[in-house]
Amino acid sequence: MNQIRNVSVYLIFSFVAAVFIGILVITSPSDSPTITISEKEIITAMFIMSSVVGISFTVSPNWIRRYHSQKKNGEKNTIKEGKRSFQGHHPDCHTFQNHRIQWKHKTWCAGCLGLLIGLNVSIMLMILYLIFDVRQPKMISYLLFIVGLFILTFVYFEIVYRNGHPLLHIFSNSLLPLSFFIIIIAIIGLTGKFAYGFFTMLVCFLWLDTRVQLSKWRHSLLCLNCSESCKMYDTSI
């Protein structure tokens, strides 16, 4: 499956998932029960654990692959690094210069830095959500759900059409985990059901993976149109 078809499939499934969750929201009764404190604790724990794993990937994107096949990947990386070095998870060339940023004497991937910031903020917000038993009105929950989907859409568009300063990319990616947090608490507030909150969290993994696939496709497109001969990404798009 080529990259365009792969991205299209991810986008279709992401859209269908958003529509399905929207149907759950619309059909939820107005007198929905309130989620129990123990269920909130489980949701919070799963969200935080998922965010911690996400943080580890922002620092070292391929640590699982290296862990399971260190020798194979070592040989592969040696070949690629011989052609061009990597800085901030991107090839060290002018094409990807706005994908990197210098921060605290270190070269960071702008997208990963944004996700790192967003994940840490989302963890703190989720802890506050657990501590403070705030009963949000239905209208606020509806508004949060719409805002969350709008942010998700904005992040996707920024990845596909980005052509600006890396600070914008950092800001955009920092909003992605926040959109997940917003959508999850909105669904819980509207339905009052742990199962729906858990399902929404699973869908967030799909939305995150869609963001990853869009980024891979964008990198391949930039590499394909680059005048350099190194071609560090798969250009069969």
Side-chain angles (χ1 to χ4, degrees), residues 1-235:
M1 181 182 295
N2 60 43
Q3 292 190 50
I4 294 180
R5 186 181 303 175
N6 185 50
V7 168
S8 299
V9 170
Y10 268 92
L11 287 173
I12 291 173
F13 275 105
S14 294
F15 177 76
V16 170
V19 171
F20 183 75
I21 293 178
I23 293 174
L24 293 180
V25 168
I26 295 173
T27 58
S28 61
S30 57
D31 56 344
S32 300
T34 304
I35 190 172
T36 64
I37 185 64
S38 60
E39 291 174 333
K40 284 182 66 175
E41 290 173 349
I42 297 174
I43 289 290
T44 300
M46 291 190 301
F47 185 88
I48 291 177
M49 286 190 294
S50 300
S51 297
V52 169
V53 173
I55 289 173
S56 71
F57 279 111
T58 64
V59 177
S60 181
N62 297 316
W63 67 266
I64 289 183
R65 186 182 305 171
R66 287 198 299 268
Y67 178 78
H68 287 288
S69 54
Q70 185 175 4
K71 182 178 179 180
K72 180 179 178 180
N73 284 329
E75 293 174 353
K76 182 178 179 181
N77 290 338
T78 300
I79 294 174
K80 288 201 168 186
E81 288 175 4
K83 297 172 66 177
R84 184 177 290 277
S85 62
F86 275 70
Q87 284 189 345
H89 305 160
H90 292 90
D92 183 17
C93 69
H94 69 280
T95 301
F96 293 95
Q97 63 184 358
N98 66 342
H99 291 245
R100 301 183 297 268
I101 192 169
Q102 292 286 335
W103 185 55
K104 290 187 175 182
H105 308 290
K106 180 179 179 180
T107 302
W108 285 81
C109 166
C112 289
L113 180 58
L115 289 172
L116 176 64
I117 295 171
L119 287 167
N120 280 283
V121 173
S122 298
I123 289 175
M124 290 186 289
L125 290 175
M126 184 59 81
I127 292 174
L128 293 176
Y129 170 73
L130 175 64
I131 295 175
F132 298 101
D133 188 19
V134 179
R135 306 298 177 92
Q136 57 198 40
K138 291 284 186 179
M139 187 56 64
I140 297 297
S141 295
Y142 280 118
L143 181 60
L144 288 174
F145 178 69
I146 295 173
V147 170
L149 291 181
F150 175 80
I151 293 175
L152 185 65
T153 304
F154 166 74
V155 173
Y156 286 172
F157 270 97
E158 194 276 332
I159 291 174
V160 173
Y161 297 106
R162 65 165 306 203
N163 192 26
H165 196 276
L167 286 177
L168 176 60
H169 197 49
I170 292 175
F171 173 73
S172 170
N173 281 270
S174 68
L175 293 179
L176 185 62
L178 296 177
S179 71
F180 297 159
F181 166 76
I182 290 172
I183 293 174
I184 289 171
I185 66 170
I187 294 300
I188 292 175
L190 288 168
T191 65
K193 294 183 179 181
F194 167 82
Y196 289 170
F198 177 73
F199 172 75
T200 304
M201 191 176 301
L202 294 180
V203 172
C204 288
F205 283 101
L206 169 63
W207 289 335
L208 177 61
D209 205 15
T210 301
R211 178 253 178 244
V212 172
Q213 298 303 319
L214 284 171
S215 183
K216 287 182 177 180
W217 170 78
R218 177 65 174 169
H219 290 162
S220 296
L221 186 63
L222 289 173
C223 200
L224 176 65
N225 295 325
C226 179
S227 59
E228 300 287 343
S229 61
C230 51
K231 304 306 176 189
M232 303 301 290
Y233 294 100
D234 180 13
T235 56

